[in-house]
Amino acid sequence: MIRALYSAATGMESEQLNLDVISNNLSNVNTAGFKRSKIEFQDLLYDTVTAPGADQGSGNQLPTGIEVGHGSNPVATARVFTEGELTQTGERLDVAISGDGFFEVQMPDGTLAYTRDGALKTDSTGRITTSDGLPVQSGFQPIPAGTTSVTISPDGTVTTTGASGTQTFQVQLTRFANPGGLQPIGRNLYTQTLASGSPETGDPAADGYGSLQQGYLEMSNVKVVEEMVNMIVAQRAYEVNSKAVQAADEMMQQADNLRR
C-alpha cells in the first residue's frame, strides 16, 4: 500500500508537468515560428517478486513473472518541428521559411542563436534585425536609406532598389541534424547544443533547405483542439492517480483499525 501511494504520486507529478507543457503550447498559439512541445514518459524501476522463466522443478518454467512497478517519470519535452501555417501579411520584410532551416541571429555577447520567426525589422542604420533588435546574420546586408523596393525570392536572392541604385545579395539558411536537440532560450530563439549537432548553412530552395516566402509569416504549429484534448486526458490521468492515493490511504486506515 505504501508503494501504491508513491507510485500514484509520481503519476500526479508527471501529469502536472504534462499540463505545464500543454499550457505553454496554448499560450504561444499566436507566436510566429513557435514549435509545440510534447512530453514523453517512461516507467520506473520494478520490484521482481518472481522472475519470468523461473525453474518450477521437473523441467517446468514460469511463463510470466510477478513484477510491480514504481510509477512513471517524465524523460523529455520534445520539440515538434512540423511547419506551421503561412499567414499573408503583405509586409516586405516578413519572410516565412517553407521547409527546413533557421535564420541566424547574433546575440549581444557575440554568440549565435537561431530562429524561424521571420518578422524582420530594420534599425536606424538599415541593418536587418529581429523584433527585439538583435541583428539577423544569414547573409542579410543593410538596406540603404531611400530604398523603395525590397524583393526576396524563394531561393534567397534579395534585390533592393532605390535612389542609390540596385543592390543584390544572397541570404542563406542554417539547419541541424537534430533540431529537437536545440536549446530554447525564449524570444523565439534557439541555441546549438551537443545534441543538435553542428550548424549547416546553404542556399534556400536547394539541397533540402526550405524556400523563403516574402510577405508571409509562419505561425505556431500548435493545434488548439489537439491541445484541449491532451489537457482533458492529463486532467483525467491526474484525477485517477489522486483516486489511487485516496484508495491506498483508505486501505491503510482499514488495516490500522483492525481489532483482534
Side-chain angles (χ1 to χ4, degrees):
M1 287 181 287
I2 293 293
R3 179 166 47 203
L5 281 172
Y6 285 108
S7 295
T10 65
M12 294 177 70
E13 291 175 355
S14 295
E15 294 306 329
Q16 177 61 61
L17 184 58
N18 190 11
L19 185 59
D20 292 341
V21 172
I22 294 170
S23 299
N24 184 62
N25 288 341
L26 288 171
S27 68
N28 285 282
V29 68
N30 288 321
T31 301
F34 178 81
K35 300 302 177 187
R36 64 179 290 267
S37 298
K38 64 183 181 71
I39 194 166
E40 298 174 355
F41 301 101
Q42 285 183 350
D43 50 356
L44 294 176
L45 296 176
Y46 284 80
D47 283 335
T48 301
V49 180
T50 304
D55 187 7
Q56 294 296 97
S58 302
N60 297 321
Q61 294 180 335
L62 282 179
T64 59
I66 301 175
E67 301 100 0
V68 182
H70 285 266
S72 65
N73 183 49
V75 293
T77 51
R79 289 274 170 177
V80 181
F81 277 91
T82 56
E83 188 173 328
E85 277 191 28
L86 301 188
T87 301
Q88 186 174 16
T89 65
E91 292 289 335
R92 66 180 187 178
L93 289 181
D94 282 350
V95 185
I97 301 173
S98 179
D100 194 11
F102 297 83
F103 293 120
E104 204 173 59
V105 177
Q106 185 174 16
M107 300 298 288
D109 62 359
T111 59
L112 294 177
Y114 305 90
T115 185
R116 284 184 65 91
D117 181 1
L120 307 180
K121 305 290 187 290
T122 56
D123 63 12
S124 59
T125 65
R127 285 189 313 173
I128 303 297
T129 70
T130 66
S131 297
D132 285 333
L134 298 174
V136 180
Q137 305 297 298
S138 299
F140 278 103
Q141 297 181 17
I143 305 297
T147 295
T148 58
S149 172
V150 177
T151 303
I152 304 174
S153 64
D155 64 2
T157 303
V158 181
T159 304
T160 63
T161 305
S164 58
T166 300
Q167 173 185 351
T168 301
F169 56 88
Q170 177 68 40
V171 170
Q172 293 188 313
L173 293 176
T174 301
R175 66 185 178 189
F176 295 86
N178 175 29
L182 292 169
Q183 176 68 46
I185 59 173
R187 305 164 76 180
N188 292 350
L189 299 174
Y190 302 90
T191 56
Q192 175 189 350
T193 69
L194 292 176
S196 68
S198 300
E200 302 174 2
T201 303
D203 294 337
D207 300 324
Y209 288 89
S211 60
L212 302 184
Q213 304 297 326
Q214 184 181 19
Y216 288 82
L217 282 179
E218 180 193 9
M219 301 308 294
S220 165
N221 66 351
V222 174
K223 297 179 181 178
V224 175
V225 173
E226 182 179 341
E227 297 300 328
M228 294 298 291
V229 170
N230 291 340
M231 184 187 299
I232 293 171
V233 172
Q235 182 180 4
R236 294 303 178 220
Y238 187 92
E239 180 180 356
V240 76
N241 275 284
S242 69
K243 292 292 186 183
V245 171
Q246 183 179 0
D249 178 56
E250 290 175 355
M251 291 173 67
M252 291 175 64
Q253 184 178 15
Q254 291 175 10
D256 289 341
N257 292 335
L258 286 176
R259 296 288 186 272
R260 289 186 181 276

